[in-house]
Amino acid sequence: MKKVLFVAAVAGTMFMSSCVSKKVLENCQNENKELNTQYQNARESLASANTRISALMDQLNECKNNTEALQASLAQSLSTSGANSVNITKLVDQINESNKYIRHLVEVKSKSDSLNIVLTNNLTRSLSKEDLKDVDIQVLKGVVYISLSDNMLYKSGSYQISEAAGSTLSKIAKIIMDYKDYDVLIEGNTDNVPISQPNIRNNWDLSCLRASSVVQALQNDYGVDPKRLTAGGRGEYNPVADNDTDKGKSTNRRTQIIITPKLDQFMELIGQAPKE
C-alpha cells in the first residue's frame, strides 16, 4: 500500500511539474511574440525615419546647389563689372537671405515631421494587436494615412458601420481629438466589382456613402468637430493592388483616414519671417 501511495505521489509531482513547465513555456512564447512585435515596430519606425532623413538630404542638396549658383553669379559679376560695389552688395544680400529662408523651410518641415511621428506613435500604441490586423498606418509626404479594411468597418455589401468597428474608431477618434490643429479627410475606395443594390448606383456611390458613414460616426458617436472633417469617395479608381486576385480586391476595398496639418496654419508658418 505504501508503495502504491509513493508511486502515486511521484506521478502527481511529475504531473504538476509538467504543468508548471508547460505554463513557463507558454509565458516564454508569449514574451517572445511581444518582443518580435516590438522589434517589428522599431524596424518600421526606423525605416520611416530614414525616409524622412533622405528627403531632407535631397532638400539640403538642392539648397546647396542654389547657393553655389548664386556664388557663381557673384564671381561672374566681380569679373565683369569691375568691382561694382552696389551689385556685389546686392548679390551678397541675396545669398544671405536665401540661406536664412532655406534654414527656415528646413525648420518648418522638421517641426511638421516631428508632429507626425508623435501622432503616428501615439496612434500605434493606442491600438491593440487585433486592431492592427485591419489597420495600416503610414506617413507619406508629411501626411498621416490610416487605412481601414472594409471587412472590419462595414457590414457585408453595405455602408453601415459594424459594431466590431466601434472600438477601433473610438481610439482613432481620441487621437484626432488630441491633435486639434489637423484636418481629417475620410476617403472611401472600392475594388472594380460592380455593385448590385437598388439604392446604390455604382462604386462611386458606395465609396462616398462609406466615407460619409465614418465621418458621421466620428462626429455623432465620438464628438469630433465636423468643421475638421471632409468625406470623399474615389470609387474603384485609386487601387493599391491588383484587382485580378481576391487578395488584391480585398486590399483595394478600404477606407482611409487622412490626417493633415491645416493648410492655412501651415502656410502662415511658412510665411513667417525666418529667425536671424
Side-chain angles (χ1 to χ4, degrees):
M1 182 64 180
K2 291 181 178 180
K3 186 176 181 180
V4 172
L5 291 173
F6 176 75
V7 172
V10 171
T13 301
M14 293 177 64
F15 176 76
M16 290 181 66
S17 176
S18 174
C19 290
V20 172
S21 298
K22 184 177 180 181
K23 186 175 182 180
V24 170
L25 177 60
E26 289 177 350
N27 288 338
C28 289
Q29 289 174 336
N30 290 334
E31 289 178 4
N32 185 54
K33 289 180 181 178
E34 181 66 25
L35 287 172
N36 283 335
T37 300
Q38 293 177 5
Y39 172 68
Q40 185 62 32
N41 290 339
R43 288 188 59 186
E44 291 173 358
S45 297
L46 178 60
S48 178
N50 287 335
T51 300
R52 286 189 292 276
I53 290 171
S54 177
L56 279 173
M57 290 301 297
D58 290 341
Q59 186 176 9
L60 286 173
N61 287 333
E62 182 180 353
C63 292
K64 288 178 181 178
N65 291 335
N66 291 338
T67 299
E68 290 173 359
L70 284 171
Q71 290 172 336
S73 177
L74 173 59
Q76 182 178 3
S77 177
L78 284 171
S79 64
T80 59
S81 66
N84 186 321
S85 60
V86 175
N87 290 336
I88 294 172
T89 301
K90 287 182 178 179
L91 282 172
V92 170
D93 289 343
Q94 288 176 5
I95 292 172
N96 290 335
E97 287 299 319
S98 176
N99 286 334
K100 283 195 292 185
Y101 196 67
I102 287 167
R103 290 193 297 270
H104 176 61
L105 288 178
V106 172
E107 289 173 1
V108 170
K109 187 177 188 304
S110 178
K111 181 179 179 181
S112 175
D113 286 346
S114 297
L115 287 172
N116 285 336
I117 292 171
V118 173
L119 188 157
T120 303
N121 288 341
N122 288 344
L123 181 59
T124 302
R125 283 196 296 268
S126 70
L127 297 174
S128 68
K129 293 179 183 177
E130 289 301 314
D131 293 330
L132 290 172
K133 291 179 180 178
D134 295 300
V135 179
D136 180 54
I137 304 169
Q138 298 184 50
V139 178
L140 301 173
K141 297 181 179 179
V143 177
V144 178
Y145 290 82
I146 308 169
S147 186
L148 309 173
S149 70
D150 74 320
N151 292 332
M152 181 271 292
L153 266 181
Y154 311 106
K155 297 177 181 179
S156 180
S158 170
Y159 54 86
Q160 298 296 326
I161 301 292
S162 69
E163 294 180 2
S167 174
T168 302
L169 280 179
S170 67
K171 295 171 185 175
I172 294 173
K174 184 179 184 306
I175 297 296
I176 292 174
M177 296 278 283
D178 289 342
Y179 290 83
K180 299 186 182 298
D181 291 334
Y182 284 72
D183 282 329
V184 183
L185 167 64
I186 313 300
E187 181 183 276
N189 294 270
T190 71
D191 57 26
N192 64 349
V193 178
I195 186 72
S196 56
Q197 290 194 22
N199 60 332
I200 303 176
R201 292 172 296 180
N202 48 42
N203 283 330
W204 279 115
D205 275 2
L206 179 60
S207 64
C208 292
L209 287 168
R210 286 184 164 179
S212 178
S213 292
V214 174
V215 162
Q216 292 180 68
L218 291 173
Q219 175 187 352
N220 299 328
D221 299 338
Y222 307 112
V224 178
D225 184 354
K227 294 178 182 178
R228 299 174 56 197
L229 300 172
T230 302
R234 302 190 69 175
E236 64 197 68
Y237 301 104
N238 185 36
V240 293
D242 193 342
N243 273 312
D244 292 335
T245 65
D246 290 340
K247 183 178 180 181
K249 289 176 182 176
S250 177
T251 301
N252 289 331
R253 294 193 303 269
R254 69 200 188 281
T255 297
Q256 290 186 305
I257 299 178
I258 304 171
I259 304 176
T260 63
K262 290 184 177 180
L263 185 59
D264 55 347
Q265 293 183 2
F266 188 72
M267 294 305 294
E268 181 181 350
L269 183 60
I270 291 178
Q272 290 175 359
K275 296 179 181 179
E276 296 295 338

